[in-house]
Amino acid sequence: MVQLHVKRGDESQFLFDTTGDVLVEELTEKITDIYNGRLKVQRICSEMTELADHGITLPVNMQGLTDEQIEDLKLKDEWAEKCVPSGGYVFKKDDIGRRNGQAPNEKMKEVLKKTTEEAKALISKKQAQANVCITMGMVKDALDQLRGAVMIVYPMGLPPHDPIRMEFEGIEDLSGTQAALQIIEKTDAQLWWAGKELKRTEKLSNYVGKNEKTKIIVKIQKKGQGAPAREPVISNEEQKEMMLHYYRRQEELKKLEGDQDDSCFNSEWADSRALKRQFQGVKNIKWRPG
Protein backbone atom coordinates (compact mmCIF):
# COMPACT_ATOMS: atom_id res chain seq x y z
CA MET A 1 0.00 0.00 0.00
CA VAL A 2 1.04 3.57 -0.66
CA GLN A 3 0.75 5.59 2.54
CA LEU A 4 -0.27 9.23 2.25
CA HIS A 5 0.30 11.74 5.03
CA VAL A 6 -2.47 14.26 4.36
CA LYS A 7 -1.87 17.87 5.38
CA ARG A 8 -3.79 21.13 5.06
CA GLY A 9 -1.15 23.80 4.72
CA ASP A 10 1.58 22.84 7.19
CA GLU A 11 -0.87 21.20 9.58
CA SER A 12 -0.94 17.41 9.79
CA GLN A 13 -4.41 15.88 9.31
CA PHE A 14 -4.31 12.08 8.96
CA LEU A 15 -2.68 9.06 7.32
CA PHE A 16 -4.42 7.27 4.45
CA ASP A 17 -3.58 3.97 2.75
CA THR A 18 -4.18 3.51 -0.97
CA THR A 19 -2.70 1.83 -4.05
CA GLY A 20 -0.61 3.20 -6.86
CA ASP A 21 -3.22 2.17 -9.43
CA VAL A 22 -5.93 4.43 -8.00
CA LEU A 23 -7.14 7.31 -10.13
CA VAL A 24 -6.36 10.67 -8.56
CA GLU A 25 -10.03 11.67 -8.95
CA GLU A 26 -11.20 8.74 -6.82
CA LEU A 27 -8.39 9.32 -4.34
CA THR A 28 -9.23 13.03 -4.05
CA GLU A 29 -12.89 12.28 -3.32
CA LYS A 30 -12.05 9.69 -0.64
CA ILE A 31 -9.57 11.98 1.10
CA THR A 32 -12.01 14.91 0.91
CA ASP A 33 -14.78 12.80 2.46
CA ILE A 34 -12.55 11.90 5.39
CA TYR A 35 -11.28 15.46 5.75
CA ASN A 36 -14.81 16.92 5.86
CA GLY A 37 -16.08 14.02 7.98
CA ARG A 38 -13.48 14.73 10.65
CA LEU A 39 -14.57 18.38 10.69
CA LYS A 40 -18.20 17.27 11.20
CA VAL A 41 -17.20 15.05 14.14
CA GLN A 42 -15.28 17.94 15.70
CA ARG A 43 -18.23 20.33 15.28
CA ILE A 44 -20.66 17.87 16.85
CA CYS A 45 -18.27 17.19 19.74
CA SER A 46 -18.02 20.92 20.41
CA GLU A 47 -21.82 21.29 20.45
CA MET A 48 -22.26 18.18 22.61
CA THR A 49 -19.96 19.66 25.23
CA GLU A 50 -22.29 22.68 25.35
CA LEU A 51 -25.31 20.36 25.43
CA ALA A 52 -23.86 18.58 28.47
CA ASP A 53 -23.22 21.89 30.23
CA HIS A 54 -26.33 23.93 29.35
CA GLY A 55 -28.97 21.73 27.72
CA ILE A 56 -30.69 22.11 24.35
CA THR A 57 -30.48 25.21 22.17
CA LEU A 58 -33.23 27.79 22.38
CA PRO A 59 -35.34 28.63 19.30
CA VAL A 60 -33.48 31.07 17.06
CA ASN A 61 -35.83 33.98 17.93
CA MET A 62 -35.02 33.56 21.66
CA GLN A 63 -31.24 33.20 21.47
CA GLY A 64 -29.22 36.03 22.99
CA LEU A 65 -32.22 37.63 24.74
CA THR A 66 -32.42 38.32 28.47
CA ASP A 67 -35.16 36.78 30.61
CA GLU A 68 -36.84 40.18 30.76
CA GLN A 69 -36.82 40.56 26.98
CA ILE A 70 -38.26 37.08 26.52
CA GLU A 71 -41.01 37.91 28.99
CA ASP A 72 -41.76 41.28 27.39
CA LEU A 73 -41.99 39.69 23.95
CA LYS A 74 -44.08 36.82 25.37
CA LEU A 75 -41.86 34.21 23.79
CA LYS A 76 -41.97 30.58 24.89
CA ASP A 77 -39.67 27.64 24.22
CA GLU A 78 -42.16 24.92 23.31
CA TRP A 79 -39.38 22.33 23.11
CA ALA A 80 -38.24 22.76 26.72
CA GLU A 81 -40.92 20.41 28.05
CA LYS A 82 -40.62 17.93 25.17
CA CYS A 83 -36.83 17.54 25.25
CA VAL A 84 -36.00 16.82 28.89
CA PRO A 85 -32.82 14.78 29.49
CA SER A 86 -33.10 11.28 31.01
CA GLY A 87 -33.19 11.45 34.81
CA GLY A 88 -34.29 15.08 34.81
CA TYR A 89 -32.25 18.24 34.49
CA VAL A 90 -30.05 20.49 36.60
CA PHE A 91 -30.40 24.18 35.85
CA LYS A 92 -27.17 25.76 34.70
CA LYS A 93 -27.66 29.12 33.02
CA ASP A 94 -26.00 29.73 29.67
CA ASP A 95 -24.42 33.18 29.99
CA ILE A 96 -24.53 33.81 26.25
CA GLY A 97 -28.22 32.93 26.07
CA ARG A 98 -27.91 30.27 23.38
CA ARG A 99 -29.12 27.25 25.36
CA ASN A 100 -32.03 26.84 27.79
CA GLY A 101 -29.94 25.97 30.88
CA GLN A 102 -31.66 22.62 31.51
CA ALA A 103 -28.48 20.56 31.67
CA PRO A 104 -28.41 16.75 32.08
CA ASN A 105 -27.62 15.34 35.53
CA GLU A 106 -24.07 14.29 36.32
CA LYS A 107 -24.52 10.69 35.15
CA MET A 108 -25.97 11.68 31.78
CA LYS A 109 -23.46 14.51 31.45
CA GLU A 110 -20.66 11.98 31.83
CA VAL A 111 -22.17 9.83 29.04
CA LEU A 112 -22.02 12.79 26.65
CA LYS A 113 -18.55 13.97 27.63
CA LYS A 114 -16.97 10.51 27.67
CA THR A 115 -18.39 9.72 24.23
CA THR A 116 -17.14 12.99 22.75
CA GLU A 117 -13.64 12.27 24.02
CA GLU A 118 -13.72 8.76 22.52
CA ALA A 119 -15.02 10.04 19.18
CA LYS A 120 -12.39 12.78 19.00
CA ALA A 121 -9.64 10.26 19.82
CA LEU A 122 -10.81 7.95 17.03
CA ILE A 123 -10.22 10.57 14.32
CA SER A 124 -7.54 12.60 16.12
CA LYS A 125 -4.43 14.00 14.43
CA LYS A 126 -2.50 12.00 17.02
CA GLN A 127 -3.40 8.85 15.10
CA ALA A 128 -0.84 9.91 12.49
CA GLN A 129 1.87 10.03 15.17
CA ALA A 130 0.87 6.48 16.16
CA ASN A 131 1.06 5.43 12.47
CA VAL A 132 -2.69 4.64 12.39
CA CYS A 133 -4.45 5.32 9.10
CA ILE A 134 -7.92 6.91 9.14
CA THR A 135 -10.74 5.42 7.07
CA MET A 136 -14.24 6.67 6.28
CA GLY A 137 -15.46 3.73 8.33
CA MET A 138 -13.73 5.17 11.41
CA VAL A 139 -15.36 8.55 10.78
CA LYS A 140 -18.79 6.88 10.53
CA ASP A 141 -18.11 4.92 13.72
CA ALA A 142 -17.33 8.18 15.53
CA LEU A 143 -20.59 9.72 14.26
CA ASP A 144 -22.57 6.62 15.30
CA GLN A 145 -21.06 6.77 18.80
CA LEU A 146 -22.08 10.41 19.14
CA ARG A 147 -25.57 9.75 17.80
CA GLY A 148 -25.99 6.84 20.25
CA ALA A 149 -24.96 8.95 23.24
CA VAL A 150 -27.46 11.69 22.33
CA MET A 151 -30.23 9.08 22.04
CA ILE A 152 -29.39 7.73 25.51
CA VAL A 153 -29.53 11.16 27.13
CA TYR A 154 -32.37 12.54 24.98
CA PRO A 155 -34.49 9.51 23.95
CA MET A 156 -37.23 11.87 22.68
CA GLY A 157 -34.68 13.51 20.38
CA LEU A 158 -33.45 17.09 20.08
CA PRO A 159 -35.35 20.12 18.72
CA PRO A 160 -35.25 20.46 14.91
CA HIS A 161 -33.28 23.72 15.26
CA ASP A 162 -30.55 22.16 17.44
CA PRO A 163 -27.24 22.16 15.53
CA ILE A 164 -26.42 18.62 16.69
CA ARG A 165 -29.62 17.22 15.17
CA MET A 166 -29.06 19.27 12.02
CA GLU A 167 -25.53 17.88 11.71
CA PHE A 168 -26.79 14.30 12.08
CA GLU A 169 -29.45 14.93 9.43
CA GLY A 170 -26.99 16.62 7.09
CA ILE A 171 -28.88 19.92 6.97
CA GLU A 172 -26.49 22.05 9.05
CA ASP A 173 -26.32 25.73 8.14
CA LEU A 174 -22.74 26.95 8.46
CA SER A 175 -23.09 30.07 6.34
CA GLY A 176 -21.15 33.02 7.72
CA THR A 177 -19.15 30.88 10.14
CA GLN A 178 -15.46 30.05 10.38
CA ALA A 179 -16.41 26.37 10.10
CA ALA A 180 -17.76 26.98 6.60
CA LEU A 181 -14.34 28.22 5.45
CA GLN A 182 -12.70 24.96 6.53
CA ILE A 183 -14.91 22.72 4.41
CA ILE A 184 -13.67 21.69 0.96
CA GLU A 185 -16.23 20.57 -1.61
CA LYS A 186 -15.26 17.48 -3.61
CA THR A 187 -15.42 19.37 -6.89
CA ASP A 188 -13.12 22.08 -5.52
CA ALA A 189 -10.57 19.79 -3.88
CA GLN A 190 -7.01 19.42 -5.14
CA LEU A 191 -4.15 17.21 -4.01
CA TRP A 192 -0.55 18.40 -4.27
CA TRP A 193 2.69 16.50 -3.86
CA ALA A 194 6.26 17.83 -4.11
CA GLY A 195 5.01 21.14 -5.51
CA LYS A 196 2.95 19.42 -8.24
CA GLU A 197 -0.81 19.28 -8.58
CA LEU A 198 -2.01 15.68 -8.96
CA LYS A 199 -4.22 15.70 -12.06
CA ARG A 200 -7.52 13.91 -11.55
CA THR A 201 -7.28 11.99 -14.83
CA GLU A 202 -3.93 10.42 -13.90
CA LYS A 203 -3.09 7.41 -11.77
CA LEU A 204 -1.19 8.00 -8.55
CA SER A 205 1.61 5.71 -9.81
CA ASN A 206 2.29 8.14 -12.64
CA TYR A 207 3.62 10.51 -9.99
CA VAL A 208 5.11 8.29 -7.28
CA GLY A 209 6.12 5.20 -9.23
CA LYS A 210 5.16 1.54 -8.90
CA ASN A 211 6.59 0.92 -5.42
CA GLU A 212 3.63 0.02 -3.21
CA LYS A 213 5.62 0.73 -0.04
CA THR A 214 6.02 4.42 -0.84
CA LYS A 215 5.22 7.04 1.82
CA ILE A 216 4.51 10.59 0.67
CA ILE A 217 3.10 13.85 2.02
CA VAL A 218 0.13 15.22 0.07
CA LYS A 219 -1.58 18.54 0.69
CA ILE A 220 -5.30 19.09 0.22
CA GLN A 221 -6.66 22.50 -0.66
CA LYS A 222 -9.28 24.35 -2.67
CA LYS A 223 -8.93 25.17 -6.34
CA GLY A 224 -7.57 28.58 -7.14
CA GLN A 225 -5.34 28.86 -4.07
CA GLY A 226 -2.17 28.16 -6.01
CA ALA A 227 0.61 25.78 -5.07
CA PRO A 228 0.93 25.17 -1.31
CA ALA A 229 4.26 25.75 0.38
CA ARG A 230 6.66 22.87 -0.16
CA GLU A 231 7.74 20.74 2.74
CA PRO A 232 10.98 21.94 4.43
CA VAL A 233 14.13 19.86 3.91
CA ILE A 234 14.08 19.07 7.62
CA SER A 235 11.03 19.01 9.85
CA ASN A 236 10.48 21.32 12.81
CA GLU A 237 11.20 18.44 15.18
CA GLU A 238 14.46 17.61 13.41
CA GLN A 239 15.45 21.28 13.50
CA LYS A 240 14.76 21.42 17.25
CA GLU A 241 16.87 18.29 17.80
CA MET A 242 19.76 19.76 15.81
CA MET A 243 19.63 23.05 17.71
CA LEU A 244 19.52 21.18 21.01
CA HIS A 245 22.52 19.06 19.96
CA TYR A 246 24.61 22.09 19.00
CA TYR A 247 23.63 23.91 22.19
CA ARG A 248 24.71 20.96 24.34
CA ARG A 249 27.97 20.65 22.41
CA GLN A 250 28.68 24.34 22.91
CA GLU A 251 28.06 24.03 26.65
CA GLU A 252 30.39 21.03 26.85
CA LEU A 253 33.18 22.98 25.11
CA LYS A 254 32.69 25.92 27.49
CA LYS A 255 32.94 23.55 30.44
CA LEU A 256 36.13 21.97 29.10
CA GLU A 257 37.70 25.39 28.67
CA GLY A 258 36.77 26.34 32.21
CA ASP A 259 38.11 23.08 33.63
CA GLN A 260 41.61 23.42 32.11
CA ASP A 261 44.13 23.40 35.00
CA ASP A 262 47.20 25.68 34.60
CA SER A 263 48.83 24.48 37.87
CA CYS A 264 50.87 21.94 35.92
CA PHE A 265 53.10 24.78 34.68
CA ASN A 266 54.35 25.24 38.29
CA SER A 267 55.66 21.70 38.35
CA GLU A 268 59.40 20.99 38.30
CA TRP A 269 59.34 19.36 34.90
CA ALA A 270 57.83 22.51 33.43
CA ASP A 271 60.69 24.75 34.71
CA SER A 272 62.87 25.63 31.70
CA ARG A 273 65.93 26.28 33.96
CA ALA A 274 65.69 23.08 35.97
CA LEU A 275 68.09 21.12 33.73
CA LYS A 276 70.72 23.88 33.86
CA ARG A 277 70.64 23.98 37.67
CA GLN A 278 70.99 20.23 37.84
CA PHE A 279 74.23 20.28 35.82
CA GLN A 280 75.57 23.11 37.94
CA GLY A 281 74.92 21.13 41.10
CA VAL A 282 72.67 23.68 42.58
CA LYS A 283 69.51 21.61 42.62
CA ASN A 284 67.43 21.48 45.81
CA ILE A 285 69.68 23.93 47.67
CA LYS A 286 68.05 25.25 50.80
CA TRP A 287 69.17 28.51 52.31
CA ARG A 288 69.36 28.96 56.03
CA PRO A 289 70.29 31.98 58.10
CA GLY A 290 73.87 31.84 59.53
Side-chain angles (χ1 to χ4, degrees):
M1 301 295 283
V2 178
Q3 188 176 91
L4 309 182
H5 184 177
V6 180
K7 290 187 174 185
R8 178 83 191 269
D10 292 329
E11 191 174 352
S12 172
Q13 298 294 322
F14 55 90
L15 299 181
F16 182 78
D17 271 345
T18 187
T19 63
D21 285 336
V22 68
L23 275 175
V24 172
E25 181 167 14
E26 180 186 346
L27 178 63
T28 302
E29 290 182 355
K30 286 182 177 179
I31 287 178
T32 305
D33 280 340
I34 294 174
Y35 173 80
N36 289 332
R38 289 177 67 251
L39 292 176
K40 177 182 277 287
V41 171
Q42 290 163 8
R43 291 194 304 269
I44 294 173
C45 286
S46 178
E47 289 290 351
M48 281 179 62
T49 300
E50 294 297 313
L51 178 68
D53 288 337
H54 302 292
I56 61 173
T57 51
L58 291 163
V60 177
N61 64 337
M62 294 177 64
Q63 291 181 20
L65 300 180
T66 64
D67 293 339
E68 292 77 13
Q69 289 172 324
I70 291 173
E71 188 176 345
D72 290 343
L73 294 169
K74 297 180 180 179
L75 299 175
K76 183 180 179 182
D77 180 8
E78 61 183 43
W79 294 96
E81 295 178 2
K82 298 177 184 178
C83 303
V84 179
S86 296
Y89 68 84
V90 178
F91 187 76
K92 188 175 179 184
K93 185 176 177 61
D94 181 8
D95 291 333
I96 63 174
R98 187 164 173 261
R99 294 180 175 271
N100 71 355
Q102 296 181 8
N105 62 33
E106 282 301 317
K107 184 178 179 182
M108 293 296 102
K109 181 178 180 178
E110 183 62 23
V111 169
L112 293 175
K113 295 213 166 184
K114 183 180 179 183
T115 305
T116 58
E117 291 304 315
E118 291 173 351
K120 285 191 288 186
L122 191 58
I123 53 92
S124 169
K125 294 175 183 177
K126 292 181 180 179
Q127 294 282 45
Q129 298 172 10
N131 205 35
V132 175
C133 292
I134 301 294
T135 65
M136 197 59 204
M138 294 167 69
V139 174
K140 289 178 178 177
D141 285 346
L143 291 171
D144 287 342
Q145 289 176 19
L146 296 171
R147 187 181 287 108
V150 171
M151 290 177 66
I152 290 171
V153 181
Y154 290 90
M156 74 300 295
L158 297 173
H161 57 268
D162 194 285
I164 297 172
R165 176 171 168 177
M166 294 174 75
E167 287 278 8
F168 286 143
E169 295 178 354
I171 57 172
E172 66 273 17
D173 181 12
L174 302 176
S175 56
T177 66
Q178 184 64 32
L181 301 177
Q182 297 177 312
I183 295 173
I184 301 177
E185 298 296 335
K186 287 183 185 180
T187 53
D188 291 334
Q190 289 180 331
L191 295 181
W192 290 73
W193 169 69
K196 300 176 183 177
E197 179 192 347
L198 306 186
K199 302 296 184 183
R200 286 177 173 250
T201 54
E202 301 286 341
K203 287 186 176 181
L204 181 62
S205 59
N206 293 348
Y207 294 97
V208 301
K210 302 288 186 180
N211 185 356
E212 289 292 322
K213 293 184 179 180
T214 302
K215 294 183 179 181
I216 64 171
I217 294 175
V218 297
K219 296 194 174 185
I220 183 172
Q221 65 177 34
K222 296 179 183 178
K223 284 181 182 177
Q225 293 184 330
R230 299 188 68 163
E231 286 294 297
V233 177
I234 58 172
S235 68
N236 287 336
E237 288 302 317
E238 289 171 334
Q239 187 176 15
K240 288 177 185 176
E241 286 294 324
M242 288 174 62
M243 290 174 68
L244 182 60
H245 169 77
Y246 287 123
Y247 172 76
R248 286 174 176 167
R249 180 63 179 157
Q250 211 170 26
E251 291 300 304
E252 287 174 4
L253 291 173
K254 286 180 183 177
K255 187 177 179 183
L256 285 173
E257 288 175 5
D259 287 346
Q260 283 183 351
D261 189 359
D262 293 339
S263 61
C264 60
F265 296 114
N266 296 324
S267 301
E268 183 182 334
W269 59 265
D271 186 352
S272 60
R273 292 172 292 178
L275 184 61
K276 181 179 179 181
R277 286 201 299 269
Q278 185 173 355
F279 282 118
Q280 291 175 343
V282 292
K283 183 182 178 186
N284 294 330
I285 294 174
K286 297 180 179 178
W287 300 94
R288 294 181 185 177

